[in-house]
Amino acid sequence: MKKLLAITVSTFFGVSIFAFEKIPTQELFYSYLKNDADLKNLTIEAEKAQLALEASQIDNGFDISLSSGTVTLKTVGTDSTLSVKSAGVSASLPQASNLTFSATSNASLTNGNAETSSQLSDTKLNLGIDLISSSALNRKISLMQAERTLTQAKRNLQNEALQTETDFYTALKALLTSTSEIITAESELYTDTIEFESIKAKGYSTSSSTYKLAQMEVLSDQHEIESKRRSLLHDYIIFYKECGYEISLEDDVDFYDLIPSDIPAVAALNIEDFDSEKYTEIEEALWTYEINSLSRSAQKNFTLSANGGYTFNNSDTSSNTVDAGVSSTIGGLNLTAGVSIPLTGANPAYTLSATLSPNTFRKNSITKKTNDLTEEQELLAIEEARINYGTVIVDKQQELQDLNWTKESCQESLEMYEKLSSELKNYFEAGIIKESEYLSALSNAKSYKVKLISNSIDYIIYNNEIQSLFVTE
């Protein structure tokens, strides 16, 4: 058991003899944070998103690969032939218009009794580049999405931290609210006790209905207080357990002495000090429109790429050749053309191919209309987010005004009842009034003190709500 609270109370109405080791609120809060499973999980998610971004940067960066090709060894008697097919190297640089370089070769090495010979065939050097394509844009989109995933993971973590703090102070405020209800019930008990004492002083018979009703009011008040105390005792134990502490409280603990006196005072944030473009709903709508606009731009109906290279011992021309080629996509039509020019002056070799898919043209038209409708929806979402933001500003400004009014009202009432209870204490000690009259005023002072502390918590929760409405990066 990390902490032990031991409380004793001398009398129900009297001064309590109170001794315990009080845990600071911030210490409770930090322990509450450490025990939050969602916060731990989102921390892991942020780390995973960082790794995913690094993987995406690798996928969209410079790449190189080496291939040994297919190696075959043949032996006939004492002769042996070692052949390699499609051995080579390839490299790509996506950020430079999808620039690619490749080198491949077929080779053979024959070793016999008479001599050893080697031969190279179709050894090709090739350089390719996109003239018109969406490869660069797709690369940008891929990186943006990976970065967005990391950004969102960080935001989720930050929002969870704010929500955890809100949950902590909401739970603490609930304890204060229950304490305030007990104080109010005690105040009602004091009032009913005063009335009961007045009835007894007037000489009513114990069997009279007036006497019995007044007595029942007092007994009912005492029962209600006891019920509320038992419930709050359970809630305190659960709250501290959620903060990582095992505590023990006596049944007659004075809950007023458990209220924290170290709630941090915070200045209320002004929602108009924040950038409207960083309002979460607006920012997300703008991001969706931006990334989808890029994706729509990447859906090109026309592409063009070119390549050039050199081939040693081209099997098509039986000579070394200089090679060039182009490929293009026009809707549902795919075209490729190439030429290999022998250095010996022989006739060049040409390659041509064409593929036609009529349905692609029809689907491209449908895709264009769908994209137009989607874009219209995205613009509507941005407009709606801006309207909602205006409503939120009005609501939060009113909420802040209510908080400020409550603070001023509670402060004034607290000062008034503290002064009154101080005066009645002197009257009670002088024997002018009964103890219950003094305790009634004292309860009101305690009630407003608890309300003032609850108001301080409301400012913390309010600030958290304001911050969670906006993105930070």
Side-chain angles (χ1 to χ4, degrees):
M1 187 164 56
K2 296 182 179 179
K3 298 283 184 181
L4 176 64
L5 304 183
I7 301 109
T8 59
V9 181
S10 58
T11 63
F12 187 77
F13 297 114
V15 178
S16 62
I17 302 173
F18 184 86
F20 76 104
E21 186 179 356
K22 202 168 186 178
I23 304 173
T25 301
Q26 287 302 301
E27 184 178 333
L28 283 174
F29 171 58
Y30 292 141
S31 183
Y32 187 88
L33 278 178
K34 289 189 292 185
N35 288 329
D36 188 87
D38 290 337
L39 206 57
K40 295 177 183 178
N41 183 60
L42 288 175
T43 300
I44 295 174
E45 288 296 326
E47 293 174 354
K48 289 169 62 178
Q50 177 64 51
L51 294 175
L53 174 59
E54 293 174 7
S56 180
Q57 290 171 336
I58 292 174
D59 291 337
N60 289 279
F62 176 74
D63 184 37
I64 186 170
S65 62
L66 302 172
S67 175
S68 65
T70 302
V71 181
T72 305
L73 176 63
K74 297 180 180 179
T75 59
V76 179
T78 58
D79 294 342
S80 62
T81 301
L82 181 68
S83 62
V84 179
K85 291 184 178 181
S86 302
V89 60
S90 64
S92 63
L93 194 60
Q95 56 267 45
S97 298
N98 207 26
L99 181 66
T100 60
F101 169 78
S102 64
T104 59
S105 178
N106 297 328
S108 63
L109 176 65
T110 302
N111 183 26
N113 292 330
E115 59 181 6
T116 299
S117 62
S118 62
Q119 181 181 4
L120 294 176
S121 63
D122 291 327
T123 300
K124 298 181 179 181
L125 302 177
N126 188 72
L127 190 65
I129 191 170
D130 290 341
L131 301 178
I132 301 174
S133 77
S134 59
S135 59
L137 196 52
N138 284 329
R139 174 182 176 274
K140 179 180 179 180
I141 291 171
S142 178
L143 287 173
M144 286 178 63
Q145 289 174 330
E147 290 170 351
R148 179 70 178 188
T149 300
L150 176 58
T151 298
Q152 192 61 54
K154 290 180 178 178
R155 289 175 182 173
N156 291 341
L157 179 59
Q158 181 182 28
N159 287 337
E160 179 61 27
L162 289 174
Q163 184 58 51
T164 301
E165 184 178 25
T166 296
D167 291 343
F168 170 81
Y169 280 107
T170 299
L172 183 57
K173 183 183 175 182
L175 297 178
L176 297 182
T177 300
S178 296
T179 301
S180 182
E181 290 175 354
I182 291 175
I183 294 173
T184 300
E186 288 176 345
S187 181
E188 292 176 358
L189 171 62
Y190 303 146
T191 301
D192 290 338
T193 299
I194 293 172
E195 180 65 23
F196 184 43
E197 292 294 333
S198 175
I199 289 174
K200 287 194 295 184
K202 291 178 182 178
Y204 280 89
S205 170
T206 57
S207 60
S208 67
S209 60
T210 302
Y211 185 97
K212 289 181 178 180
L213 285 174
Q215 185 181 45
M216 287 301 298
E217 286 292 336
V218 173
L219 293 175
S220 177
D221 291 342
Q222 291 175 343
H223 175 75
E224 182 181 0
I225 292 171
E226 182 61 24
S227 177
K228 290 181 179 295
R229 286 179 57 82
R230 291 173 64 85
S231 177
L232 183 54
L233 186 67
H234 168 268
D235 292 343
Y236 257 105
I237 293 174
I238 294 299
F239 173 72
Y240 273 84
K241 189 174 184 64
E242 290 176 346
C243 294
Y245 293 89
E246 297 287 344
I247 66 167
S248 176
L249 293 172
E250 298 295 333
D251 292 340
D252 55 357
V253 59
D254 186 347
F255 291 108
Y256 181 76
D257 289 319
L258 289 180
I259 64 173
S261 58
D262 58 349
I263 299 297
V266 298
L269 297 174
N270 185 351
I271 191 171
E272 291 189 310
D273 291 339
F274 290 79
D275 182 2
S276 63
E277 297 299 293
K278 295 299 183 180
Y279 178 61
T280 299
E281 188 178 352
I282 294 177
E283 194 273 344
E284 288 179 350
L286 290 172
W287 157 258
T288 299
Y289 177 72
E290 178 187 9
I291 195 68
N292 287 347
S293 294
L294 290 175
S295 297
R296 288 189 286 268
S297 298
Q299 298 173 358
K300 294 184 179 296
N301 291 327
F302 176 73
T303 63
L304 178 65
S305 60
N307 62 82
Y310 190 88
T311 302
F312 296 92
N313 196 12
N314 192 326
S315 58
D316 293 331
T317 61
S318 300
S319 65
N320 297 344
T321 60
V322 175
D323 308 315
V326 294
S327 61
S328 178
T329 299
I330 306 173
L333 179 62
N334 296 323
L335 300 172
T336 61
V339 60
S340 296
I341 303 175
L343 296 183
T344 58
N347 293 329
Y350 298 97
T351 58
L352 295 170
S353 69
T355 303
L356 177 64
S357 177
N359 282 346
T360 301
F361 288 98
R362 299 166 62 186
K363 290 175 66 177
N364 286 345
S365 176
I366 294 174
T367 299
K368 174 65 169 59
K369 293 178 181 179
T370 301
N371 287 342
D372 290 343
L373 292 174
T374 301
E375 182 177 8
E376 186 176 348
Q377 287 180 314
E378 291 165 359
L379 293 174
L380 286 174
I382 294 173
E383 182 180 352
E384 183 179 3
R386 296 191 188 281
I387 293 174
N388 292 341
Y389 176 64
T391 302
V392 168
I393 287 181
V394 174
D395 290 342
K396 288 302 177 183
Q397 287 177 334
Q398 181 62 52
E399 184 178 345
L400 181 56
Q401 290 177 9
D402 292 342
L403 285 177
N404 291 335
W405 180 86
T406 300
K407 180 180 180 179
E408 293 175 2
S409 176
C410 288
Q411 185 64 49
E412 290 175 0
S413 297
L414 173 61
E415 292 173 357
M416 180 185 69
Y417 278 109
E418 282 182 336
K419 181 179 179 181
L420 178 61
S421 62
S422 177
E423 293 173 353
L424 293 182
K425 181 180 179 181
N426 294 331
Y427 294 155
F428 164 63
E429 291 175 346
I432 301 175
I433 63 173
K434 291 183 173 60
E435 181 183 31
S436 54
E437 295 179 83
Y438 156 64
L439 291 177
S440 179
L442 182 61
S443 290
N444 285 322
K446 288 182 176 180
S447 179
Y448 279 104
K449 182 177 181 180
V450 174
K451 289 179 180 179
L452 200 57
I453 295 174
S454 294
N455 178 258
S456 298
I457 291 177
D458 286 335
Y459 277 101
I460 296 174
I461 294 175
Y462 172 83
N463 281 356
N464 287 347
E465 290 175 350
I466 292 294
Q467 292 181 74
S468 65
L469 291 174
F470 299 86
V471 298
T472 55
E473 55 179 78

